[in-house]
Amino acid sequence: MALSRGLNFCQQVSRSSRVSRNLISWFCTESKKVPQDSSPKCIFSGIQPTGIPHIGNYLGAIQSWVKMQANVNDTIILSIVDLHSITLPQDPPVLLQSIYDMVAVLIACGIDPQRTIVFQQSSISQHAELAWLLGCKTTLPRLGQFAQWKSKTSGDKSKACVGLYTYPVLQAADILLYKSTHVPVGDDQMPHLTLAKDLARIFNNNYGQYFPLPQPITGTYDRIKSLRDPSVKMSKSDSDALSRIQLTDSEDDIQKKCKKAVTDFISEVTFDPEKRPGVSNLISIHSAFSGLSVEEICKQAKGQETAEYKMVVAEAVNKIIAPIREHVFEVRRNKVFIQHVLSIGEEKARAMAAENFTEVKKLVGLCE
């Protein structure tokens, strides 16, 4: 049945858009992967369309999403959370292109729209509607505790928009709207999931048991650090482009960024995150992309200077990134195809959201 749906999707795409045979072949191949598991879950994730994802996003989130597709009993929902992105100023044409680019990257990394519901958050009005209901159950002091509010206001809260303050409630609505049972999170996102669980409890206590309490799915990899400042995580919003390796960077770009990565004055390659965070970050990246352990890497790098080792890391990264990069550019050229993927995801997400929110409105007393 899953294979049949996958083939139908390929046929729809072939008829409705100018998509290369390689893309169609890829989807048909992916749809054949149908191992089973007896414990179905509803898994929700969101990603902001603010710049091309970097290797930290790939290792910490995207790879996990791809692997989750293996269990066909699970419902996997992946939202391009464009409403979250406008809590900070955005250039409208750039934002729209970034939404399309994000879809291209996700597909190139292995996200299959036949297995994962990929959609644009703003296309489903129930996200904002549920956020309002949940906001009526949230206190100002609770929202003021979130680190992002404190960091992104840069000490001048008078210039911050209300959306930046209340977006954790919208994030909770994103999760609860689909009655999600699990959410992949990093350490920095755990407070947001805690808020979602607390709001689910409050709602259930007031109106009866309806929302599951979403549980975290933690990643395998530690957060990849900035190449320019290994004391902070790699970030799409960092003003220094040399701080991150994007999934569309050329081989030359990757070599340049690894070469410019901050290390120290010791030439030997050793792993010591506290005393040598820069070199240790490179070793962690190398390990993630090569499959080698830290110990194996340090043994192989014995006698190498860090300058030489940086090029070894660049080669390991490019080996994995190169086919992804090529696939991104291929998908990117097919705007109609990207719109088709979003349309299919929107249709599936809207059906779930509309049904669930109607039940919520009945419980609250807003409709019969």
Side-chain angles (χ1 to χ4, degrees):
M1 183 176 178
L3 175 57
S4 175
R5 291 198 303 268
L7 292 173
N8 288 338
F9 176 77
C10 295
Q11 291 164 1
Q12 291 174 33
V13 171
S14 180
R15 289 195 298 267
S16 65
S17 59
R18 300 181 297 276
V19 185
S20 71
R21 290 182 179 180
N22 288 340
L23 282 176
I24 296 174
S25 174
W26 183 87
F27 279 110
C28 292
T29 300
E30 285 298 304
S31 66
K32 296 176 184 178
K33 301 175 181 178
V34 290
Q36 301 289 327
D37 187 7
S38 59
S39 53
K41 298 182 282 290
C42 180
I43 303 171
F44 180 90
S45 291
I47 187 167
Q48 289 197 37
T50 49
I52 297 293
H54 51 68
I55 58 173
N57 301 135
Y58 174 72
L59 295 172
I62 298 175
Q63 265 195 339
S64 297
W65 297 337
V66 172
K67 291 176 182 177
M68 289 173 190
Q69 295 178 142
N71 186 357
V72 297
N73 288 325
D74 291 344
T75 299
I76 306 170
I77 304 169
L78 180 50
S79 178
I80 314 266
V81 287
D82 50 350
L83 293 178
H84 288 289
S85 68
I86 61 173
T87 56
L88 296 175
Q90 303 290 339
D91 182 4
V94 173
L95 176 58
L96 181 58
Q97 185 58 52
S98 295
I99 292 169
Y100 293 155
D101 286 348
M102 186 59 69
V103 175
V105 169
L106 292 173
I107 290 172
C109 289
I111 294 298
D112 177 4
Q114 184 59 31
R115 277 291 296 118
T116 297
I117 299 173
V118 180
F119 72 100
Q120 190 175 336
Q121 178 194 28
S122 62
S123 67
I124 308 298
S125 63
Q126 288 87 354
H127 284 258
E129 294 178 87
L130 181 57
W132 176 260
L133 295 183
L134 296 178
C136 294
K137 305 295 182 183
T138 316
T139 65
L140 294 177
R142 179 67 188 278
L143 296 182
Q145 295 173 1
F146 284 90
Q148 285 85 345
W149 163 250
K150 298 175 182 178
S151 63
K152 290 183 179 181
T153 54
S154 301
D156 189 359
K157 297 180 181 179
S158 64
K159 295 182 180 180
C161 69
V162 173
L164 187 60
Y165 191 80
T166 61
Y167 88 93
V169 181
L170 176 58
Q171 196 168 35
D174 296 336
I175 296 167
L176 299 181
L177 180 59
Y178 301 95
K179 301 180 74 173
S180 307
T181 61
H182 292 78
V183 181
V185 291
D187 292 340
D188 57 334
Q189 288 294 313
M190 199 64 75
H192 295 81
L193 181 59
T194 300
L195 176 65
K197 292 172 69 174
D198 289 347
L199 288 174
R201 287 193 189 96
I202 292 170
F203 186 94
N204 292 345
N205 288 338
N206 289 340
Y207 304 109
Q209 293 298 314
Y210 183 75
F211 291 120
L213 301 184
Q215 301 302 310
I217 299 176
T218 55
T220 304
Y221 295 105
D222 292 332
R223 287 183 292 175
I224 299 298
K225 305 298 184 180
S226 164
L227 296 178
R228 301 297 292 166
D229 180 3
S231 67
V232 299
K233 71 174 183 177
M234 191 174 284
S235 172
K236 288 190 293 179
S237 61
D238 195 316
S239 59
D240 188 351
L242 295 176
S243 68
R244 59 190 176 274
I245 297 175
Q246 295 177 314
L247 297 182
T248 53
D249 279 347
S250 68
E251 183 175 4
D252 288 343
D253 288 334
I254 295 171
Q255 289 178 347
K256 178 183 177 181
K257 291 178 178 182
C258 286
K259 184 178 180 179
K260 296 287 186 179
V262 170
T263 51
D264 50 43
F265 296 105
I266 303 173
S267 61
E268 187 179 0
V269 178
T270 60
F271 188 78
D272 188 340
E274 290 189 9
K275 296 181 179 179
R276 306 192 68 196
V279 174
S280 299
N281 187 40
L282 289 173
I283 293 174
S284 295
I285 293 171
H286 187 189
S287 176
F289 280 93
S290 68
L292 298 171
S293 68
V294 169
E295 292 76 14
E296 289 172 324
I297 289 172
C298 292
K299 185 177 180 180
Q300 290 182 6
K302 190 173 183 179
Q304 283 185 333
E305 293 189 353
T306 52
E308 183 182 358
Y309 175 67
K310 287 178 178 181
M311 294 302 97
V312 175
V313 177
E315 182 180 355
V317 173
N318 187 66
K319 184 176 180 180
I320 302 298
I321 295 302
I324 294 175
R325 178 174 63 233
E326 181 180 347
H327 201 177
V328 170
F329 294 144
E330 182 182 8
V331 178
R332 213 183 209 174
R333 289 191 291 267
N334 290 278
K335 183 177 178 181
V336 175
F337 168 70
I338 292 173
Q339 291 172 331
H340 187 74
V341 169
L342 287 173
S343 177
I344 290 173
E346 177 185 338
E347 183 179 354
K348 294 177 180 178
R350 176 173 284 113
M352 296 175 65
E355 179 180 355
N356 291 344
F357 191 66
T358 297
E359 290 300 315
V360 167
K361 289 174 68 178
K362 288 179 181 178
L363 290 170
V364 173
L366 298 178
C367 70
E368 294 185 0

